[in-house]
Amino acid sequence: MYCNKWSENQIKNIIQNIGINDSAGPMTDRDIRNAFYSGEIYISPYNPKNLTPVGYNLCASEIIISTKTGLPLKVCQEGKQKYVMVSANDTILVATNESLFVGEQIMGTFHSRVRIVSQGFGHISTTLDPMWNGVLLVAINNPTNQKKKFVVYD
């Protein structure tokens, strides 16, 4: 069996010749900021507090639809907290508060917040495709046999 070992310069040369950006991989906060200023990423409304060292925390809007009924859920409010009640064994589709545009070199994945998962909700993974433009829809599941409170805003 023959195994060819490539030098770092050979790999960089190959990458340049086929037009792939050699900084591929997860984006840091600095990468996201640079992409934002260069027009490769657009987020509206943009909140600098939502930018983390390894991504951007999107927020839930009040547009939340039950897949069981096909209807929007009623948003309740207690003080500053806004929430919906998710029926047992139901999946909800949550539109993001933010609208995004990403260029052809940008893609991403969505990861659940520990706080939501620790309350018993399941997050159904999805991706952000290159050239996406618009709000995003995130699916969240209540796999339990009890109605659960999903906090939209705290």
Side-chain angles (χ1 to χ4, degrees):
M1 182 180 202
Y2 177 74
C3 183
N4 188 10
K5 291 192 176 189
W6 299 82
S7 72
E8 187 175 330
N9 285 337
Q10 288 173 313
I11 292 171
K12 283 182 182 179
N13 196 15
I14 291 168
I15 288 172
Q16 286 175 342
N17 288 335
I18 61 174
I20 296 174
N21 183 346
D22 63 354
S23 63
M27 297 178 78
T28 65
D29 53 349
R30 182 176 293 161
D31 296 328
I32 293 170
R33 232 182 266 109
N34 290 341
F36 192 79
Y37 292 123
S38 73
E40 281 297 303
I41 294 177
Y42 178 75
I43 303 170
S44 178
Y46 175 79
N47 184 344
K49 292 178 182 177
N50 290 358
L51 186 62
T52 72
V54 293
Y56 187 88
N57 288 332
L58 298 168
C59 298
S61 75
E62 293 184 26
I63 301 170
I64 302 171
I65 299 168
S66 162
T67 61
K68 226 182 219 185
T69 65
L71 298 172
L73 296 181
K74 179 184 176 190
V75 178
C76 303
Q77 185 165 358
E78 287 179 9
K80 291 184 179 182
Q81 186 182 74
K82 292 184 179 184
Y83 63 93
V84 295
M85 294 305 294
V86 182
S87 296
N89 301 302
D90 194 5
T91 297
I92 57 173
L93 303 175
V94 182
T96 59
N97 190 51
E98 298 85 358
S99 184
L100 279 77
F101 162 79
V102 295
E104 61 186 23
Q105 297 294 318
I106 308 288
M107 60 80 58
T109 57
F110 297 94
H111 303 275
S112 57
R113 300 207 47 159
V114 172
R115 178 177 56 113
I116 293 168
V117 175
S118 66
Q119 294 170 354
F121 287 103
H123 170 254
I124 300 168
S125 238
T126 191
T127 60
L128 173 66
D129 295 329
M131 300 301 293
W132 175 259
N133 185 17
V135 297
L136 297 158
L137 203 55
V138 179
I140 298 172
N141 179 258
N142 174 6
T144 71
N145 58 4
Q146 299 173 356
K147 193 177 246 193
K148 290 200 160 290
K149 181 182 196 178
F150 177 79
V151 176
V152 177
Y153 179 80
D154 210 354

